[in-house]
């Protein structure tokens, strides 16, 4: 049993860390820093708070950085063997746990829990154990540890065994599956996952719906929650950062280019997603096509700006989905397009400044996931849009819990109803649009990232 007390007072653990490395042609390493809620949260507690972020090396550059001993203060990158990481991340986290919590399986043929699954599960255990051991080594006596996401569901239980003195929290950024779906997992695996999570003092979720689903799974498969507390922290948009960043020169430049692509005077229905199977981009395109059929008056007067950025391209099913998005977009452009009008403006190469440009130009934001932990785009577009925008929002997105009243809600599977919602959004009067945007912005910014993190930390320290 490792019982070394390190120096860190606040520890965060996540698969993807705040920095990644690339080996340049000359052999030197280039560090790339990321953003997001945890980065803001940790900067809010200040550099002297004794914080440490434990993350995994993801690519070759990261592994090389670990090998050379290159790193950032406050970050410890774990060089978990590449094959173990691939099994844990691609095999279990993204192909099983993500699919279960987002309810993505095409059940007549999948999932198949066979010997290969068991082999990958062993890697998932190894990978979780590497995190638990590193945290146990680095944490000061009584320190607070907040573990992130489904990649690390076993860490709280493992860490509890190694260091019973710690305050252990876990936060889920995804939905949690309801018991009827969760029970698809082999019984022993389901039990191991729940017991792993219940090793924490406190578990955080993005909405009450996901927290209730977890509680229901525990009631059914783990004999209840035991001493573990549950909290809901609805991560909000970082309004200050977004407003400032979206007025920088590169964004203004991209606005001009995008305005040209859309066409002067045309309305813009905007969506920006990582191309996850759960985002429902294809049905969004079909709904847009249906709108052009049902309301030909919109032809040449509107464009659908769809940014579908690459995600998890190691997985064939993700690559196929991206191809399908491109195919359907092209089909719509061929069918309805005219020499002066491209109905769908699709981009698949990630460009943050261009995303902000699209947010600023948006008349309508389309956020129609089949299931989503929160969906920050739904919160960001109203904050950034120059003229205010109408939000067409899936009732299956976590953001619906906070934004539902001022959005136009859709059943994400109902393409006809989504087309109707787009029409309603495009025809909404300016006063109602402004009023709704004001309320959407207030709800979207109620819990900015830094506060979201501090709130969890305080609740964890207060949990007995
Ligand atoms: O959006 C949900 C989420 O689990 C985030 O918490 C996390 O950053 C991301 O998905 C993981 O994505 P990736 O596989 O690209 O690291």
């Amino acid at each position: 049993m490792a019982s070394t007390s390190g120096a860190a007072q606040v520890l965060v653990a996540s698969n993807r860390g705040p920095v990644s490395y690339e080996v340049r042609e000359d052999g030197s390493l280039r560090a790339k820093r990321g953003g997001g809620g945890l980065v803001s949260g940790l900067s809010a507690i200040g550099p002297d708070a004794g914080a440490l972020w434990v993350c995994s090396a993801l690519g070759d550059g990261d592994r090389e950085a670990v090998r050379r001993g290159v790193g950032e203060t406050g970050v410890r990158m774990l060089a978990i063997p590449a094959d173990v990481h691939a099994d844990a991340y691609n095999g279990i986290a993204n192909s099983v746990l993500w699919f279960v919590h987002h309810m993505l399986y095409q059940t007549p043929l999948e999932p198949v829990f066979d010997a290969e699954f068991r082999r990958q599960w062993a890697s998932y255990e190894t990978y979780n154990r590497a995190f638990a051991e590193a945290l146990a080594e680095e944490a000061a006596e009584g320190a607070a540890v907040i573990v992130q996401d489904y990649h690390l569901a076993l860490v709280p239980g493992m860490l509890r065994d190694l260091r019973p003195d710690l305050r252990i929290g876990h936060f889920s950024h995804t939905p949690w599956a309801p018991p009827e779906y969760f029970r698809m997992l082999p019984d022993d695996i389901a039990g191991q996952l729940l017991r792993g999570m219940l090793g924490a003092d406190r578990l955080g979720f993005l909405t009450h719906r996901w927290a209730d689903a977890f509680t229901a799974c525990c009631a059914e498969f783990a004999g209840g929650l035991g001493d573990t507390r549950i909290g809901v922290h609805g991560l909000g948009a970082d309004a200050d950062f977004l407003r400032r960043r979206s007025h920088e020169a590169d964004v203004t430049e991209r606005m001009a280019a995008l305005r040209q692509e859309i066409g002067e005077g045309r309305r813009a229905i905007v969506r920006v997603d990582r191309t996850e199977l759960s985002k429902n981009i294809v049905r969004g395109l079909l709904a847009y096509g249906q709108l052009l059929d049902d309301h030909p008056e919109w032809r040449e007067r509107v464009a659908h700006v769809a940014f579908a950025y690459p995600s998890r391209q190691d997985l064939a099913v993700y690559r196929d989905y991206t191809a399908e998005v491109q195919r359907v977009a092209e089909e719509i452009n061929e069918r309805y397009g005219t020499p002066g009008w491209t109905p769908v403006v699709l981009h698949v190469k990630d460009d943050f400044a261009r995303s902000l440009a699209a947010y600023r130009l948006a008349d309508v934001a389309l956020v129609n996931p089949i299931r989503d932990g929160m969906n920050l785009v739904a919160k960001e577009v109203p904050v950034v849009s120059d003229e205010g925008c109408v939000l067409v929002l899936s009732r299956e997105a976590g953001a619906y819990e906070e934004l539902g009243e001022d959005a136009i809600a859709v059943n994400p599977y109902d393409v006809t109803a989504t087309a109707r919602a787009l029409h309603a959004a495009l025809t909404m009067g300016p006063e109602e649009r402004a009023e709704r945007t004001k309320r959407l912005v207030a709800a979207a910014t109620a819990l900015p990232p830094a506060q979201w993190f501090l709130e969890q930390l305080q609740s964890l320290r207060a949990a007995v």
Side-chain angles (χ1 to χ4, degrees), residues 92-159:
I92 300 296
N94 290 338
S95 301
V96 177
L97 302 180
W98 181 273
F99 272 61
V100 168
H101 291 318
H102 291 86
M103 310 200 323
L104 291 174
Y105 284 123
Q106 308 209 6
T107 51
L109 293 175
E110 55 176 17
V112 176
F113 295 120
D114 54 6
E116 172 63 3
F117 165 76
R118 292 282 164 180
R119 195 189 58 72
Q120 293 183 333
W121 183 259
S123 293
Y124 183 75
E125 291 174 317
T126 305
Y127 158 85
N128 273 253
R129 189 161 303 285
F131 271 82
E133 283 170 356
L135 292 164
E137 205 177 285
E138 302 281 0
E141 180 74 24
V145 184
I146 308 187
V147 180
Q148 307 295 313
D149 250 336
Y150 57 101
H151 313 93
L152 302 176
L154 304 180
V155 168
M158 291 173 168
L159 186 56

Side-chain angles (χ1 to χ4, degrees), residues 51-120:
L52 181 72
W53 191 324
V54 178
C55 58
S56 179
L58 300 180
D60 293 342
D62 290 357
R63 277 170 217 292
E64 187 54 23
V66 177
R67 206 184 58 77
R68 292 186 199 174
V70 171
E72 308 246 324
T73 319
V75 178
R76 175 164 167 197
M77 212 175 238
L78 305 178
I80 293 159
D83 55 339
V84 172
H85 186 267
D87 285 346
Y89 174 71
N90 286 323
I92 300 296
N94 290 338
S95 301
V96 177
L97 302 180
W98 181 273
F99 272 61
V100 168
H101 291 318
H102 291 86
M103 310 200 323
L104 291 174
Y105 284 123
Q106 308 209 6
T107 51
L109 293 175
E110 55 176 17
V112 176
F113 295 120
D114 54 6
E116 172 63 3
F117 165 76
R118 292 282 164 180
R119 195 189 58 72
Q120 293 183 333

